[in-house]
């Protein structure tokens, strides 16, 4: 199975900050990498797919990059609604696997 | 508008069974691969099972293989998860998830809670 490792596990930031979350795959997955945002008590929401393609309706302050084993999710200017937990997921091979999550909190 | 609505969750004893359903609308159900993903309380996301549009391809996580069965009824636009031999570690919110043609998860249901406890 492909292991997905996110860093950091938690992050404190302020409104307007630029924030970067990293996701590493245990083997190459080309660009079959997605990012999800989840708020407490809610279902995850799709943010990004194919490593760098924004899902429909997602603000342009979100961006993604990377290929094979190393990926990043960047929020260019943090907004109040961005405080949440973020997950990466590989869909190159079954079993599909998720990172452990990065909790983004207000400083 | 795409809608995925799970039902069937509840409290069940270890060793028991439960059948989850996901009613869908707003898209051509038979065109899409569908998935179940679960989340234990306070934990991360775990993919459980996947079924292609015509049920030709079915995959399971090792943690549920042999105990869970994913199925679908394209005439009723519905997805199912039959869960047998339930264990405490199966306690989780179970999400029904649509897989877009590029294989990524684009829409999620709101989830249904399964609690396995004596």
């Amino acid at each position: 199975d492909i292991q997905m490792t996110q860093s950091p596990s938690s992050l404190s930031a302020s409104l307007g900050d630029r924030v970067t979350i990293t996701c590493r795959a245990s083997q190459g997955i080309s660009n079959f990498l997605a990012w999800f945002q989840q708020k407490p008590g809610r279902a995850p929401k799709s943010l990004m797919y194919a490593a760098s393609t924004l899902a429909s309706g997602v603000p342009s302050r979100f961006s993604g990059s990377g290929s094979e084993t190393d990926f990043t999710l960047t929020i260019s200017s943090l907004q109040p609604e961005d405080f949440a937990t973020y997950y990466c997921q590989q869909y190159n091979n079954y079993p599909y696997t998720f990172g452990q999550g990065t909790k983004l909190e207000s400083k | 508008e795409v809608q995925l609505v799970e039902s069937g969750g509840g409290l069940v004893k270890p060793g028991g069974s439960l059948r989850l359903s996901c009613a869908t609308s707003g898209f051509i159900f038979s065109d899409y691969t569908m998935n179940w993903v679960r989340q234990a309380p306070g934990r991360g996301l775990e993919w459980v099972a996947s079924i292609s549009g015509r049920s030709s391809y079915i995959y399971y996580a090792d943690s549920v293989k042999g105990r869970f069965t994913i199925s679908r009824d394209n005439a009723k636009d519905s997805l199912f998860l039959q869960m047998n031999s339930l264990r405490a570690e199966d306690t989780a919110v179970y999400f029904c998830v649509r897989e877009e043609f590029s294989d990524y998860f684009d829409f999620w249901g709101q989830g249904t809670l399964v609690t396995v406890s004596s």
Side-chain angles (χ1 to χ4, degrees), chain B residues 35-56:
Chain B
N35 295 265
W36 289 99
V37 173
R38 68 184 180 183
Q39 186 170 37
R43 305 296 296 274
L45 301 167
E46 179 188 17
W47 170 80
V48 172
S50 175
I51 184 168
S52 62
R54 304 292 179 183
S55 304
S56 302

Side-chain angles (χ1 to χ4, degrees), chain B residues 98-109:
Chain B
R98 191 180 84 164
E99 186 171 322
E100 203 265 356
F101 300 132
S102 304
D103 296 339
Y104 84 100
F105 293 173
D106 62 347
F107 283 98
W108 297 63

Side-chain angles (χ1 to χ4, degrees), chain A:
Chain A
D1 298 1
I2 298 174
Q3 307 294 324
M4 305 300 292
T5 304
Q6 288 180 232
S7 60
S9 295
S10 63
L11 176 58
S12 295
S14 301
L15 295 178
D17 282 355
R18 181 182 181 88
V19 169
T20 297
I21 299 169
T22 297
C23 178
R24 176 162 289 176
S26 61
Q27 63 189 73
I29 59 169
S30 184
N31 68 336
F32 294 104
L33 190 282
W35 290 97
F36 301 94
Q37 176 193 67
Q38 188 180 31
K39 297 181 179 179
R42 305 289 297 274
K45 171 189 170 185
S46 178
L47 285 181
M48 194 106 42
Y49 62 97
S52 60
T53 303
L54 282 177
S56 177
V58 174
S60 58
R61 63 180 180 274
F62 289 91
S63 63
S65 66
S67 66
E68 296 300 344
T69 60
D70 293 293
F71 302 87
T72 59
L73 172 70
T74 299
I75 309 172
S76 60
S77 178
L78 205 55
Q79 300 300 303
E81 60 269 29
D82 299 337
F83 294 106
T85 299
Y86 293 83
Y87 294 93
C88 63
Q89 180 229 355
Q90 68 81 17
Y91 53 98
N92 184 61
N93 288 337
Y94 286 105
Y96 292 161
T97 46
F98 292 86
Q100 80 279 13
T102 295
K103 187 173 184 179
L104 178 53
E105 298 176 304
S106 177
K107 186 182 289 184

Side-chain angles (χ1 to χ4, degrees), chain B residues 5-103:
Chain B
V5 180
E6 302 93 336
S7 61
L11 175 63
V12 61
K13 289 181 168 53
S17 297
L18 213 54
R19 189 190 195 215
L20 305 183
S21 299
C22 174
T24 77
S25 61
F27 64 103
I28 302 173
F29 180 68
S30 59
D31 281 352
Y32 289 83
T33 292
M34 298 296 295
N35 295 265
W36 289 99
V37 173
R38 68 184 180 183
Q39 186 170 37
R43 305 296 296 274
L45 301 167
E46 179 188 17
W47 170 80
V48 172
S50 175
I51 184 168
S52 62
R54 304 292 179 183
S55 304
S56 302
Y57 301 99
I58 292 176
Y59 301 93
Y60 296 98
D62 284 347
S63 58
V64 306
K65 200 173 295 182
R67 300 187 299 122
F68 290 11
T69 302
I70 189 171
S71 63
R72 63 192 296 158
D73 183 341
N74 287 346
K76 297 182 178 179
D77 296 340
S78 294
L79 176 72
F80 305 101
L81 186 68
Q82 177 66 43
M83 303 186 295
N84 298 331
S85 303
L86 282 161
R87 306 166 180 167
E89 54 265 35
D90 296 318
T91 294
V93 174
Y94 285 74
F95 297 101
C96 167
V97 188
R98 191 180 84 164
E99 186 171 322
E100 203 265 356
F101 300 132
S102 304
D103 296 339

